[in-house]
């Protein structure tokens, strides 16, 4: 299974966003994968509130609690996601990594207007898959950075060629974890 | 022909006048609580598909439900009225809400349609902005729920 193996939901426009989909409690949460730096097991995560991987340190946060999701607790499928951009890095536990998925930009729906509370800051929107509905976490909120408008435009993939200076986060993922994520997503593909 | 039209005109007016004196209401129940709503505020009824929970701070809006290729936000009317949903296969009432289509989980009985005389409808402002008043439908006095503005100005239990 290659590192590039993942489910693709891109149909026509070529504009897509790649997500890492994970289960947190009963909720499928999608993270724009561009800022995913790695996926490690809890035992690799360290005990001091930080995860150090590839000479980078990731402060541990309880993202499930911040999202107000009741997580399952540590199980054999628990993974620690290393998430960072140029300014900030964080790590957080998810109950299960579902896989990587490319979603056509047009298929990403905003959070319906009836949701009027703090969830609008935490969640950018959603997409509907055959077996689940994934809620898209605001990556700026995850990293405790000031948010911005049109957040997803930052993460849009334009065709197969990377933009100048674009950083391909997939290359930095610990290979075992990424292969695992790829295998999971390939396994769940239609 | 003109005469015919002229003859029919009073009939049309009469029918229109009769309809103007009537209000179309749909009656449904949530956790056994019977409610009436104006039919023009209802988009349809479909089988209940199962929920996706959303970690939300918005009162009574904490889930999504699938609809065709998309999904709808769900307003938990049972929670608003502190009513447990009854056993059986619930239905999804699709509401024409001001913020876009909205789903409500209702009891398994298919909503019934009623023509209610305007004189049997009493609109009044109460403590709960989601309740427009009451009407008498099928010899039953029922609260009228404002489906189009559900939850917009109310964020407390009834």
């Amino acid at each position: 299974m290659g590192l590039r193996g993942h489910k693709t939901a891109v149909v026509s426009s070529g504009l897509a966003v790649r997500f890492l989909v994970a289960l947190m409690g009963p909720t499928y949460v999608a993270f724009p994968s561009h800022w995913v730096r790695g996926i490690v097991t809890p035992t690799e995560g360290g005990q001091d509130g930080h995860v150090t991987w590839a000479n980078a340190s990731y402060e541990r946060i309880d993202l499930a609690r911040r999202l107000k999701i009741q997580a399952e607790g540590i199980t054999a499928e628990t993974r620690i996601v290393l998430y960072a951009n140029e300014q900030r890095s964080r790590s957080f536990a998810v109950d299960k990594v579902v896989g990587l998925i490319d979603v056509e930009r047009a298929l990403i729906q905003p959070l319906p207007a009836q949701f009027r509370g703090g969830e609008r800051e935490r969640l950018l929107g959603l997409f509907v898959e055959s077996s689940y509905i994934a809620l898209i976490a605001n990556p700026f909120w995850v990293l405790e950075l000031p948010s911005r408008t049109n957040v997803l435009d930052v993460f849009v993939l334009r065709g197969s060629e990377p933009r100048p200076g674009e950083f391909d986060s997939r290359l930095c993922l610990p290979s075992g974890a990424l292969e695992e994520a790829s295998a999971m997503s390939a396994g769940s593909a239609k | 022909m003109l005469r015919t039209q002229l003859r029919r005109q009073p009939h049309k007016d009469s029918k229109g006048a009769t309809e103007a004196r009537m209000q179309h209401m749909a009656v449904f129940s949530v956790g056994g609580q019977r409610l009436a709503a104006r039919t023009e505020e209802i988009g349809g009824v479909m089988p209940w598909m199962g929920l996706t929970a959303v970690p939300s701070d918005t009162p009574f809006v904490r889930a999504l439900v699938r609809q065709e290729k998309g999904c709808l936000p769900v307003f938990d009317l049972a929670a608003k009225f502190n009513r447990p949903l009854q056993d059986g296969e619930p239905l999804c009432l699709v509401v024409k809400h001001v913020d876009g289509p909205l789903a409500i989980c209702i009891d398994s009985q298919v909503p019934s349609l009623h023509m209610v005389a305007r004189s049997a409808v009493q609109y009044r402002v109460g403590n709960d902005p989601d309740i427009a008043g009451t009407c008498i439908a099928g010899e039953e006095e029922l609260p009228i729920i404002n489906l189009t503005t559900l939850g917009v100005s109310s964020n407390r239990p009834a």
Side-chain angles (χ1 to χ4, degrees), chain A residues 24 27 29 31 62-70 92 119 121-123 135-138 141-142, chain B residues 54-57:
Chain A
M24 299 179 80
T27 308
V29 184
F31 303 92
D62 188 346
L63 188 64
R65 188 182 58 76
R66 287 185 64 210
L67 280 168
K68 303 184 180 178
I69 292 172
Q70 183 66 48
F92 52 85
E119 65 274 13
E121 182 190 8
R122 302 189 287 269
L123 302 170
L135 306 176
I136 301 169
N138 182 344
W141 176 82
V142 170
Chain B
V54 176
S56 163
D57 299 337

Side-chain angles (χ1 to χ4, degrees), chain B residues 65-85:
Chain B
V65 66
R66 281 174 180 269
Q67 189 212 29
E68 296 169 356
K69 289 182 180 175
C71 60
L72 299 176
V74 176
F75 189 95
D76 191 347
L77 206 52
K80 176 181 168 70
F81 289 115
N82 288 316
R83 294 271 187 157
L85 278 174

Side-chain angles (χ1 to χ4, degrees), chain A residues 75-94:
Chain A
T75 70
E77 299 201 275
T78 302
R79 294 292 180 272
I80 308 296
V81 177
L82 313 180
Y83 208 66
N85 67 0
E86 296 75 15
Q87 294 173 269
R88 192 161 293 179
S89 58
R90 293 286 184 267
S91 62
F92 52 85
V94 297

Side-chain angles (χ1 to χ4, degrees), chain A residues 19-187:
Chain A
F19 294 99
L20 175 75
V21 178
L23 260 174
M24 299 179 80
T27 308
Y28 287 85
V29 184
F31 303 92
S33 70
H34 198 65
W35 289 356
V36 175
R37 298 295 189 248
I39 303 167
V40 297
T41 62
T43 51
E44 293 169 304
Q47 302 294 323
D48 62 347
H50 283 77
V51 177
T52 302
W53 192 268
N55 297 321
S57 179
Y58 299 84
E59 183 185 329
R60 183 80 176 266
I61 58 171
D62 188 346
L63 188 64
R65 188 182 58 76
R66 287 185 64 210
L67 280 168
K68 303 184 180 178
I69 292 172
Q70 183 66 48
E72 283 186 8
I74 302 288
T75 70
E77 299 201 275
T78 302
R79 294 292 180 272
I80 308 296
V81 177
L82 313 180
Y83 208 66
N85 67 0
E86 296 75 15
Q87 294 173 269
R88 192 161 293 179
S89 58
R90 293 286 184 267
S91 62
F92 52 85
V94 297
D95 291 325
K96 182 182 178 181
V97 171
V98 177
L100 292 169
I101 181 169
D102 290 355
V103 181
E104 190 175 356
R105 183 69 181 83
L107 297 178
I108 297 172
Q109 304 169 32
L111 204 60
Q114 286 88 350
F115 291 97
R116 297 189 310 275
E119 65 274 13
R120 297 203 76 80
E121 182 190 8
R122 302 189 287 269
L123 302 170
L124 294 179
L126 58 102
F127 57 87
V128 179
E129 265 290 292
S130 56
S131 57
Y132 60 83
I133 297 172
L135 306 176
I136 301 169
N138 182 344
F140 289 89
W141 176 82
V142 170
L143 293 182
E144 300 168 273
L145 291 167
S147 197
R148 48 174 289 177
T149 55
N150 303 321
V151 170
L152 285 176
D153 291 345
V154 174
F155 300 94
V156 167
L157 305 168
R158 291 176 176 83
S160 59
E161 293 300 317
R163 286 164 285 174
E166 185 178 54
F167 172 76
D168 188 346
S169 63
R170 289 170 296 171
L171 300 177
C172 289
L173 291 170
S175 59
L178 199 278
E179 283 185 2
E180 182 182 21
S182 299
M184 286 174 177
S185 53

